[in-house]
């Protein structure tokens, strides 16, 4: 039974061909393409309003140099939200429960922010490794600690997204299994458990959106330090 709980996180395949590429590409096919007309339908209007509001909120603390990242960060936000939400549907696979995929997003983007900081303002970028006013005996220790914390950032990005989504999917499956087991024996308890399952599902919808937002927000904060 415990093995079957984790089977949902295995990458799907058909005739030995991995299907994770289809799972990653599918969300882009679901978004409507804005037409050339001046008047759009309600779905495109809401989609455009959401992306504009998110981009303005994200780019507000950044200077003009950081605005070049607006398209990349907004696209990543929409992509992660869509994948996380589709993963809550029955009999679907959530690619963002794979640590390798999340690290593939986190490491290059984090490394790009570090390279930009070292290229544009190396003194300020290196100055983050040593807080101002540090006593002289603590300087070597703090430099080591800040360097370790710098290199842990992409790992924290990937692990946070993976752990939150994996824990939520496991809880939903465990409680759903309990509902089916308790239904013939204790219907009242099963109904109460189903209510908890419904509330947990609503919570997981919020977590799916919040975790995508946190992922992109932390990347923007790393970018803010280096531009």
């Amino acid at each position: 039974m415990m093995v079957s709980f984790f089977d949902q996180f295995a990458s799907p395949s058909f005739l030995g061909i991995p299907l994770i590429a289809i799972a990653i590409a599918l969300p882009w096919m679901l978004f409507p393409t804005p037409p050339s007309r001046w008047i759009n339908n309600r779905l495109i209007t809401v989609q455009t309003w959401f992306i504009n509001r998110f981009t303005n909120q994200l780019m507000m603390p950044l200077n003009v140099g950081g605005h070049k990242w607006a398209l990349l960060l907004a696209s990543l936000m929409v992509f992660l939200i869509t994948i996380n939400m589709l993963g809550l549907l029955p009999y679907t696979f959530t690619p963002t429960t794979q640590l390798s995929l999340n690290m593939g997003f986190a490491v290059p983007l984090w490394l790009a922010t570090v390279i930009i900081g070292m290229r544009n303002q190396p003194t300020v970028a290196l100055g983050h490794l040593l807080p101002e006013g540090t006593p002289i005996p603590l300087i070597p220790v703090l430099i080591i600690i800040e360097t370790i914390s710098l290199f842990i950032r992409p790992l924290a990005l990937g692990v946070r997204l993976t752990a939150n989504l994996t824990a939520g999917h496991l809880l939903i499956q465990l409680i759903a299994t309990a509902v089916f087991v308790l239904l013939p024996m204790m219907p009242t308890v099963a109904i109460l458990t189903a209510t908890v399952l419904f509330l947990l599902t609503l919570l997981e919808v919020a977590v799916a959106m919040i975790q995508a937002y946190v992922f992109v927000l932390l990347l923007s904060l790393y970018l803010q330090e280096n531009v």
Side-chain angles (χ1 to χ4, degrees):
M1 179 64 70
M2 293 304 295
V3 176
S4 63
F5 285 157
F6 291 93
D7 283 348
Q8 61 177 318
F9 304 117
S11 180
S13 60
F14 180 72
L15 297 177
I17 302 174
L19 301 180
I20 189 171
I22 298 178
I24 294 175
L26 180 62
W28 297 115
M29 304 176 186
L30 302 178
F31 289 103
T33 303
S36 58
R37 303 190 305 268
W38 283 9
I39 301 177
N40 296 324
N41 57 34
R42 292 183 178 88
L43 181 59
I44 295 180
T45 302
V46 172
Q47 174 183 302
T48 305
W49 175 85
F50 170 77
I51 294 177
N52 288 338
R53 290 291 297 174
F54 168 74
T55 306
N56 291 335
Q57 194 73 20
L58 201 63
M59 295 293 110
M60 193 179 301
L62 301 178
N63 56 22
V64 179
H67 293 177
K68 301 174 183 177
W69 287 60
L71 179 60
L72 175 62
L73 294 179
S75 302
L76 180 62
M77 168 76 173
V78 174
F79 176 71
L80 291 177
I81 285 182
T82 309
I83 283 186
N84 294 347
M85 298 290 286
L86 290 177
L88 295 174
L89 298 175
Y91 303 105
T92 56
F93 172 68
T94 312
T96 44
T97 57
Q98 305 294 312
L99 182 60
S100 57
L101 177 68
N102 296 333
M103 293 301 294
F105 284 130
V107 173
L109 293 174
W110 164 82
L111 188 59
T113 62
V114 174
I115 292 175
I116 287 176
M118 295 298 294
R119 186 188 65 178
N120 296 338
Q121 42 185 12
T123 305
V124 177
L126 293 176
H128 291 147
L129 301 179
L130 184 63
E132 187 177 356
T134 304
I136 295 179
L138 295 179
I139 288 179
V141 178
L142 282 180
I143 290 178
I144 294 174
I145 292 175
E146 291 296 330
T147 305
I148 293 174
S149 67
L150 177 66
F151 284 96
I152 283 179
R153 284 180 175 182
L155 182 63
L157 279 176
V159 170
R160 180 187 294 108
L161 183 59
T162 304
N164 281 281
L165 295 179
T166 303
H169 284 66
L170 280 176
L171 278 175
I172 289 177
Q173 186 169 1
L174 285 170
I175 297 178
T177 304
V179 171
F180 281 105
V181 171
L182 293 173
L183 191 58
M185 299 181 294
M186 293 179 286
T188 306
V189 178
I191 292 174
L192 293 176
T193 309
T195 306
V196 174
L197 177 62
F198 175 74
L199 296 176
L200 179 63
T201 304
L202 295 181
L203 177 63
E204 283 305 310
V205 171
V207 168
M209 294 186 289
I210 291 173
Q211 288 303 316
Y213 176 73
V214 168
F215 189 93
V216 177
L217 178 63
L218 289 176
L219 280 175
S220 70
L221 293 179
Y222 301 157
L223 180 64
Q224 184 181 351
E225 292 181 358
N226 293 284
V227 295

